[in-house]
Amino acid sequence: MDQIAIISDVHGNVTALQAVLDDIGDRGITRIFCLGDIIGKGPGGDTAIDGVRTHCERVVQGNWDDFVSRESEFEAVKWHQQVAGEERLDYLSKLPFCIEFMMSGKFVRLFHASPRSLYERVQPWDDISSRLSLFEPSELCTEQRQADIAGYGDVHNAFIQHLKGKTLFNAGSVGNPLDLTLASYVILEGHYGETSAGPLNIQFVRVPYDIELEIQRAAEAEMPLLEPYMKELRTGQYRGLQK
């Protein structure tokens, strides 16, 4: 069967990205899709973008990719813009909204946050109607049909749920996981492009990486908002909940 590695939310953490790419390579997987938020939070936005461009067959835009590629009054955003450079920011601004394909007879739609917006946040514990809405198309989607399988990133919490005969999953975060302090990605296994029913498997993978090395790199780069970044990497707790 065909295998697709689905990564998301690298957030400039090149240490974690390299660990995940090494793990994907060790498994012999050559097709990688990225669900956005390549830049932001971590210090290596330029290298992360270059790595994703090199290794990922298809990439969608995340909310950080969107607003970092625009003019901003925030000094932290300006810092990440300077690291990335104009050409990479142009690349981020032109990324597509979603990825759609058939696999083992199932229609799969992948996006960053929701099929309607880069900025709509849906957690695994939100009400059932919010989660079911992630299977619905919008004018931003290419195919105006419900997805059988919907996958996304954004919330940095890896999970899978089966809802009314459909499957919803979140790939978690490579560079800023907020559930475990391990980089996260998903392997989707089945017959790629096949409209007939067949076996299909979704596997979650957690990869350890050198968190202290990543923090050292951020400190040496004199990255803004270093303290909350350190806390998130070390604890897996969202900075908005830190006291």
Side-chain angles (χ1 to χ4, degrees), residues 86-206:
E86 185 176 340
E87 191 278 333
R88 294 185 185 89
L89 294 176
D90 183 64
Y91 165 77
L92 294 180
S93 72
K94 295 176 180 176
L95 287 171
F97 181 78
C98 70
I99 300 169
E100 297 170 328
F101 57 95
M102 295 296 299
M103 194 164 199
S104 294
K106 301 293 186 182
F107 180 62
V108 182
R109 180 179 289 120
L110 307 175
F111 42 83
H112 178 67
S114 92
R116 296 169 293 277
S117 170
L118 299 176
Y119 295 90
E120 180 184 3
R121 186 150 293 162
V122 180
Q123 295 282 5
W125 51 81
D126 284 348
D127 62 82
I128 185 76
S129 61
S130 295
R131 286 174 283 141
L132 284 172
S133 75
L134 297 181
F135 298 106
E136 299 293 336
S138 77
E139 68 278 1
L140 297 173
C141 303
T142 303
E143 296 284 341
Q144 295 302 304
R145 58 185 289 194
Q146 283 193 347
D148 300 304
I149 299 172
Y152 69 116
D154 186 56
V155 298
H156 302 202
N157 285 288
F159 73 90
I160 186 169
Q161 295 177 356
H162 303 291
L163 306 170
K164 297 191 175 181
K166 298 178 180 294
T167 299
L168 175 67
F169 74 88
N170 189 288
S173 173
V174 168
N176 188 221
L178 297 176
D179 44 14
L180 301 172
T181 56
L182 298 167
S184 176
Y185 77 97
V186 160
I187 299 171
L188 189 60
E189 185 178 45
H191 298 298
Y192 183 65
E194 180 57 61
T195 57
S196 300
L200 195 150
N201 180 54
I202 299 174
Q203 178 184 355
F204 289 79
V205 183
R206 305 306 294 239

Side-chain angles (χ1 to χ4, degrees), residues 48-83:
I49 293 168
D50 292 345
V52 166
R53 292 173 81 170
T54 298
H55 295 283
C56 296
E57 181 178 313
R58 302 179 72 176
V59 184
V60 302
Q61 189 179 59
N63 56 296
W64 275 81
D65 306 321
D66 177 50
F67 70 73
V68 172
S69 63
R70 302 173 183 267
E71 289 188 15
S72 176
E73 61 185 30
F74 298 106
E75 291 304 317
V77 173
K78 290 179 180 178
W79 189 91
H80 289 293
Q81 290 173 334
Q82 186 172 2
V83 168

